[in-house]
Structures are given as C-alpha cells and as structure tokens.
Amino acid sequence: MQYEAGNYDVIVIGAGHAGSEAGLAAARVGAKTLMITINLDMVAFMPCNPSVGGPAKGIVVREIDALGGEMGKNIDKTHIQMRMLNTGKGPAVRALRAQADKTLYQQEMKNTIENEPNLTLIQGMVERLIIEDDVCKGVITQTGAVYHAKTVVITTGTFLRGEIILGELKYSSGPNNQQPSIRLSEHLEEIGFDLVRFKTGTPPRINSHSIDYSKTEIQPGDDVPRAFSYETTKFITDQLPCWLTYTNEGTHQIIDENLHRSPMYSGMIKGTGPRYCPSIEDKVVRFNDKPRHQIFLEPEGRNTQEVYVQGLSTSLPEDVQRRLLASIPGLEKAELMRAGYAIEYDAIVPTQLWPTLETKKVKNLYTAGQINGTSGYEEAAGQGLMAGINAGLKALEKEELILSRSDAYIGVLIDDLVTKGTSEPYRLLTSRAEYRLLLRHDNADLRLTEIGHAIGMIKEDRYQRFLLKKAAVEEEKERLQTLFIKPTQQVQQVIVEHGGSELKDGIRAADLLKRPEMSYEQIQQLAPSEILLDTEVKEQVEIQIKYEGYIEKSLQQVDRLKKMENKKIPENIDYDAISGLATEARHKLKQVHPLSVAQASRISGVNPADVSILLVYLEQGKIARIPQN
Amino acid sequence: MEFDTITAISTPMGEGAIAIVRLSGDEAFAIADRIYKGPQGKRLIDATSHTIHYGHLVQPKTEDIVEEVMISVMRGPKTFTREDVVEINCHGGIVSVNRVLQLVLSQGARLAEPGEFTKRAFLNGRIDLSQAEAVMDLIRAKTDKAMNVALGQMEGRLSQLIRKLRQEILETLAQVEVNIDYPEYDDVEEMTHRMFLEKASLVKVELEKLLRTSQQGKILRDGLSTVIIGRPNVGKSSLLNSLVQENKAIVTDIPGTTRDVIEEYVNVRGVPLRLLDTAGIRETEDIVERIGVERSRAVLKEADLILLVLNYADNLTIEDEKLFEAVSGMDVIVIVNKTDLPKKINLNRVKELTGEHRLVTTSLLEDQGVDELEEAIASLFFAGTLETGDLTYVSNSRHIALLGQALKSVEDAVWAIESGTPVDLVQIDFTKAWELLGEIIGDSVHEGLINQLFSQFCLGK
C-alpha cells in the first residue's frame, strides 16, 4: 500500500558523510529538506578508519567549513587527538588530521541534524525514484511512503548491492553488517545508469587491554591546540595517543601460505580496489622485498576499548587474521573483536554527472559520495555539500554553484570525477591539484567564505569577522611593503643571528621577509606593528609575502584557465556536425558533454588540435547566430 | 595552452633583406621589453600603439647586443590577432632571424603552431565565417603533418633520451609527493634539499648536453660560419675560389642590410660552411686593411671556424702574429700557402704559433693540399661525440625551444633549492620541466605521476 507522506523541496537519501552534509546544506540555503536513512543509529557512521583529515583531505574539511558545512565543526568537538602534518614542508601541503571518537562523532552530527531548522530526519529504505519525463519528482520507500520533492540527492555509500567478503564467506550486506540496498541499485540500472563494481576493505579491531603497548612506539597529538573550523573557539586538550608497530617476515609468511584462501586471489572478489588503500595481502604480494609494513593502532573512542589496526586491511579468513595479529610485536595476545572484511558495491560511472553533480539522464536528481566512485569520508562530505547546495538552490530556482579547479580541492575532486571518470575508488591526493599552492589549508576561508556567504551558508556575524581578518591581512601586507628597514646594528645583528648575510643597504620589510632565513616574527621584532595582530593574520601575511613569486606564477596560470573556462559550450552542441574532430575525441566529447572548453581540454583522448577545432567551431556558431544585414 | 604569448618568424626563410619575428599575446610587450634596448632607455610598453621604434636586441643578462632592429608595436584589439602584437624587423638571413627567435623564446614566448596566428585572429572575432572551415582544415592538416614530422624525428635515440630523463624527473617527483601525501610513510628517505639538488643538477647537465647537440644540429642546418683571414696577397681569394669551385655552392649571395657581408655556402665533405665576409675578400683582397682590426674582430667573434692564411714565400710579420693573437681560443686551421714559390717563412715559428691547431700547407695555384685542407675541416667538425654515423641531434626549432624552457625550469628549481625554498615548491618548477619534456614526445598526462607513486612505493595505511 502506497500513501502520500509529504512534500519537500529536497530529499536526501542516506545520512552518511555525504548525506549529512547534503541535508544540512540544502536546509541552510533555505530549502525544506528531508533526509531518509536505512538506520537512524548510523548517521555519520565511520565504518573504516577513525580519522578525519590528512594531506589534501584535511584541506577539503577546511573548505567545507568555509562554505558553511559541518564536518570541521563536528570533528573539532569530538576528536581524541589532532596533528598538523607536513609542518617541515611548504605552506601549500600542510594539513590537519584528527583521530575521531567514532561514537561521539555520530551522536554530535545526528544532534546537529535534528536541531537544524528546515530539516527532517527519518528512518526508511528508499526503493524507487518517482521519475516523470526524465525529471525526478520524489521517492517511494519500502513501506510504501511516497515523498514528493523538487530535487533528490542520492548518497547511498557502499550500500548499493553491498556484499561483504570475509575469507570463504560472502554475504549480502551494507557496511558493518547493515541492511544493503538492492532494489534501488536495480532501479538505477532500469533507468539506464551505467554502474561499476568497486571494492574496498577494512582491517580487524582488537581490544586495547590485550595489547602490549611497551613493544610499540607512541604517536601523540600536537601540544598546540588545533581546529578545523574557523568558528571553533573551544579546544580539546585532553588527547589520546596512537601507537606504531610493524609486521615482520613471520607475518608475511602466514600471508603467503594462505594466499589461496584469500578472496582477492581466489577470484571471489571482482570489484576494483583502490591502489592507495591496499590490503595487507596486496602489499605483501606486490612489494615482497619489503621486510616490514607499518601498523598503526588507533583507539576508536574514549568510551570503548576497540582499537583499529590501521595497515592491516584484509579479507583473509578470520582464523588467518588471528594468526596474523599474533605474529606482530605487541599484538601477540591481541583479542580480535571484529574481523576485517572486504566489501563490494555498485557505483555509478561519474561521467554521467554534470559538474553540479546533477545526473545528465534524469533532471533534478543528484548523486554524491561513494556512489560516485570515491572513497574517504572527506571526499564524500565535500561532494555531499556541493550536491546539497545545488539541489537546494535548484529547488529554490536559484543559480547553481560550480567550484573551479583553482577555487578548491572540492573543485578538483568533482571535475576529475565528471570529466575523467575513475577506474578505481577515487581518493584526493595533493598531486591531483595543479594549483595546490593556491589551494592551501591556511587560506580556505579567504578562497571560499564569500561564496558561502553569497548562497546563504555563512551567517552574517561570521562573515563580518571574516571581512575584518581579510582587511587586517591587506593592511599589514601594505605596511610591510612600504616600510623601509635601515641597516642599523640591531637589524644586522638579528639577521646574522638567524644565519643571513648582512644588509648592504636599506631594504623594504617585505623584501627582507622574503629571505629564506627570515620569518614574520623577526620582522615584527625589527619593525613592530602598532596593532596587535591575530596569529592567523600573521601567518597569512608571512605566507603571502614569502611565497609571492610562486603564488604569482600560479595566478598567471589560473588566468589562462579562466579564459578557457569562459568559453562555454552550449548543452545542445552537435559534435557530429564538427568535421575536423578526431573520432576518439568526438566520442569522448559526446560522452562527457563538457560545459566549457577548459573542461573539454582535460578529457583524455581530446588532444590540443581537437580543442582548437572546437574553439573555432564555437566561434563560428557565434557568428552564425548574428542575424545577417 | 591557449592564450599564452606566441611567436614565429613571419617572413619566408632565407629570402629578402629584412625578416620579421612576430609576437602575439598578453606578454608580447613585456617579453619584447626584456630584450629591447632603445635610445634613452625607451620602453616599448610606454610607446604609442601602431608606431615603429629603432633600437637593439640584447641578451638580458649580459646586455650583449644581438641585433639592430626596428620594432613595431600594436596594441589589441586593433591588430591582426586582436591581441597585443609586437613585430621585430631584423636582418634577413637564416642566422640572424633564428637568433632573434631563440632570444624571444628564451624569454617565455611559445613557438606558434602552424596557422596559430590565423586561428587566434579567428577566435578573437577577426575573420569572417567563410574562412572558418579553411582555418579548421588548416589546423587539422598542419597538426597531422607536424605530428608526423615530430614522430619521425622522435624515433630512436633522442626520444629514448628524453624518456629516460622524464623518468628520472618523475621518480624524484614521486619521492617528494610520497612524503607529502603519506607523511608517516617510513620507507622512503625524506627528500632533502641536498638529494633534490643532486637530481636536479643531473637533469640540468643532461639537458645542457642535449641543447649542445641542438647547436650542432643548427650548424648542420645553418652552416658553420667560417672566416678566411690573412694579410694581403697571401691567397685568400684563391682559397675562397678553390673551396667554391671544388664544392658546389648551395646558397649564394644573401646580402645583409647594413653590413657589407656577403655569405656563400659550400659543402665540404658533408660539413656546410657559411663563408663570411667574402665580399671583402673579393673586392680588396684585404679584410684587415679595409675594415680595420676592430671590425675584423667583430667578424671573427661570429665565426665557428677560422681559416688563417700565411704566405710561404714571405717572412712572418707583426700583422701575422697579431692575427694569431686575435684568434686565440677559437677553432682555427692555419694554411701556409704558395709552396710553389721559394720558402721564406720560418716554419718552426709558425708551428709554435699554431700550437694545437691544424696546420696545412698548400699551393692553391697548383691545386696542392686542398684535399688535406678539406680533410682537416671535416675531421674538426666530426670530432668527438659526432664521430659515429648515427647523428642524433635536436634540430626542430620547437624542440629546441621546449628543451630551452625545460632547462630554464630546472635552473629555477636549482636556484630555489639553493635559496632554501621548501621542496614542495621546488617541485613546481621540476614538474614544469617534466611537462615541457613531455610536450616534445607528445605525452603530458598528469596521471603519470600518480601511477608512479603507487608503483614505486607500497602505500596505504
């Protein structure tokens, strides 16, 4: 029996990391939003590693925050440890990583969602979409509830036809033995979406009491209080450490002897797994000359003894997993609480999406997260945020938002997916960003707060604070650029103390700061500012001045990118009518339907000559459209 | 990359007294100003649009004068491409115009693809609809042709060399990346400045080597500029005639515009010689006297090879000794001519002065010793690395330009390392070099780095 259950602007299917951001974002841009999840106790659940952030990913979390999303605030309130990574390197690659208290993280996110105006959270399993004339108009659940909406976002993670594989055992399941979603996957195929089968995995969990920590190395958090969110003012100081141990020849021998029982090698697993998150059996086989692999022991929270064995991701049978653990120093007596497993699931081929994350086939339908072929909580959350924003804006009949590759890692992520597709679960890496010097951890707010404010995601008081910071940065930069430092004895002394060579002449403060041995602190010592400046402002001034040359180079490249992005390709372009295109390029262009020439030029198989021809064709079209006489 | 600043020689090669090197794009004025030295420090950027300016082109670092030029500046959109356009009018002749082109390329302009100026004109709305199809055909046809040519060139050793170099760079990049994306990964040594410097210096040396072969390639294409010097009546004219007669001149009489230099091309056993200042020899038989020592030094400076002629039947003079002085440190072949007459010259002193150079005795009148001379020329050129029959050299201008830019990126990287810049920033320049080399062999896919990362290291927590 079906029944009418309600009308909404936006419906979000799923409440994982993508779904949570999507629901909150849609509600925050002003759309009346419904979130439907299979299990209310699993909102923002972390089925794999208990951590948020890291290189590239940590910058995504900052970007989510600058656009008014939740992930940063949520982890700031619920982490057990935080560290700044890559502090010894340049500013572009610094990134925060937090260890999460998984349970607190979930509870906190659920609480935020429940308290968000405009947002309704319910339990239910969606089986069908309501589609009329290729436009999505709502969803129907297992219990017959019919919900209507202007736009729908699917964020079903690994639930789509999920199958858990553990040794010789294989059964239908979502992550962590949740109910999988089988009907929806079949329905998507019926509609005509191309699906691929991906695989990912997770390691065993063990009881902390059974670990001999004396045989491991401690990995503490930073002493300095840290936060992802620009709004966080309360810092957690009571941190829990992680621990490091290693596999050894004995461990590898057990794996070798049991490879025939590994579903990876017996052929039971058909899905494509990620290269950057290989199982331990994969590592041992592919790099058999490596005598040991790192194993990080990470607590799953403050109120649990479960410890995540990072580095031991595996789908070997349970008895082999026990023996593997026992072979590792510190884990000889480890008590296995949950076995590791691999999970296969359906994902849609992401080139079927517009850069707004709306599907090309069905209007008003958006997808985000693991269903789009990515892996990782942060990648999911970033897409969820954008899909939520766009589904909300579209429902409200406002212009949608597309971030460029030069705006944000989120822009890089989505552009890669919809332009190039992916042949394995996609993970962000800093090397995927060609403008990574511009996409820094420290300037996410400067890059994105204005955009967030314009679409209603950033509240007025925060925006005003942001404007003050921005002005302070500009003022201080201006001061250092005009201030002249004379080669007095004190000045020379400070310079020499820090390993520099003496000044021959007076120098602008900004130019002195550019010397490798100088830092903002020393400049301040020589030429103190009359105003007391925030640490964040000082950091910004230092980075912007010190790396000006490189930043300038990147900005010039971005300028050229923008020119190409401004060459729009009309949606109804007929690639068959363009005579000069190479066959492969024509095929790829028809498949991807790029929105701009910049996007077209990034499609593999479209070479520079094809791009030139496309440009000429578009220009020709422009002339043809001008009426004669 | 579209919309960067492009350049090309816009006049036909090897003909006419004047040649034009054209620049188009946002950076056109800036690039030109970096190499232009006008009267009273005039800057082109300040010049009124559509005006022409006299001045010199100089090497930016050394300020050495390269050419005397007239430069037209035209600001977009009232130009052929609707972009800022600079046209450098320089002396005709392959050598001078190529030198100007190389100079412009070294300052960051990109060599235009075939038909690219026209393409830009079109894209910027300058050409009407009827021409559009033609432009597209042109792009397709020329690109295919250029690709074929490039592929042909790329067979064999050169492409292997570049691939090897790229792999070296890629491994270094991967090692830096792995430290960034997997900061806790313990198996790779942290890429230190010292290690990076070692790698970058290695790549730099290789690139310089390749570029040197490009010089040799250029010589094969443009000729080895050769000057005949000697006192009056030692037989310079006979030598010239003998070389020209024996070997069919391939190109003749390309007059310069301000210099009274006439060039003749001869092919000596596979080595093309471009004989400079032959007019002087023909007219007065006395280059030193006619143009003075200073002027002849200037001519000498341009030369790759010097043929110094002495008179067997006369004593060595102060002038002779001065000539030896003037050519010290250059590639010289000393020719003692007129062995048909009684000997007066002090051969021991000649040998002393000649030192390591080749010494040949001839009687041009009786056609004696010419073979020996030609042998000397050929062996001088084919000595060293080019001795084998398999000549691998970079001759394509586009490739030379890309190699030059790659070298510049590597030099930037080295400079950055030496001034203590963090490795992930040094990486930017090093990546650029990798991409530029990729353009030479038609492979610039970014995914390469990520693949390298995962095949080189066992990653993943």
Side-chain angles (χ1 to χ4, degrees), chain A residues 496-516:
Chain A
V496 173
E497 253 172 43
H498 292 92
S501 50
E502 286 193 4
L503 293 179
K504 290 196 188 80
D505 240 321
I507 186 169
R508 260 187 261 283
D511 290 330
L512 185 58
L513 179 53
K514 280 181 189 161
R515 287 187 167 198

Side-chain angles (χ1 to χ4, degrees), chain A residues 90 97 275 294 563 610 612, chain B residues 26 119 140 184 424 451:
Chain A
R97 193 180 60 210
R275 279 175 300 176
Q294 288 166 312
K563 278 188 188 166
D610 298 310
S612 291
Chain B
D26 293 348
K119 186 181 101 187
R140 174 55 68 198
E184 283 142 342
D424 53 284
N451 289 333

Side-chain angles (χ1 to χ4, degrees), chain A residues 55 83 86 89-90 97 275-276 278 283 286-287 294 430-431 436 516 547 550 553 563 580 610 612 620, chain B residues 26 119 122-123 129 140 177 179-182 184 186 416 419 424-425 429 446 451 454 457 459-460:
Chain A
R83 286 177 67 187
N86 288 335
K89 306 192 178 84
R97 193 180 60 210
R275 279 175 300 176
Y276 43 78
K283 291 191 212 173
R286 286 185 49 223
F287 294 89
Q294 288 166 312
T430 60
S431 45
R436 78 174 170 206
Y547 302 107
Y550 285 96
K553 261 195 225 172
K563 278 188 188 166
D610 298 310
S612 291
Q620 181 185 4
Chain B
D26 293 348
K119 186 181 101 187
F122 180 79
L123 290 180
L129 185 58
R140 174 55 68 198
E177 291 301 320
N179 292 153
I180 293 168
D181 274 317
Y182 295 86
E184 283 142 342
D186 65 342
S419 49
D424 53 284
L425 292 177
D429 291 317
H446 209 67
N451 289 333
F454 292 113
F457 305 109
L459 297 171

Side-chain angles (χ1 to χ4, degrees), chain A residues 589-621:
Chain A
L589 286 165
K590 280 158 88 172
Q591 195 189 352
V592 175
H593 258 290
L595 294 181
S596 70
V597 176
Q599 195 191 349
S601 69
R602 290 190 292 265
I603 300 171
S604 61
V606 175
N607 66 38
D610 298 310
V611 173
S612 291
I613 285 168
L614 187 59
L615 276 168
V616 172
Y617 179 83
L618 290 172
E619 200 58 39
Q620 181 185 4

Side-chain angles (χ1 to χ4, degrees), chain A residues 257-274:
Chain A
E257 287 164 3
N258 288 283
L259 263 189
H260 61 285
R261 297 180 67 200
S262 155
M264 286 289 298
Y265 291 90
S266 70
M268 193 144 84
I269 291 181
K270 301 213 163 52
T272 314

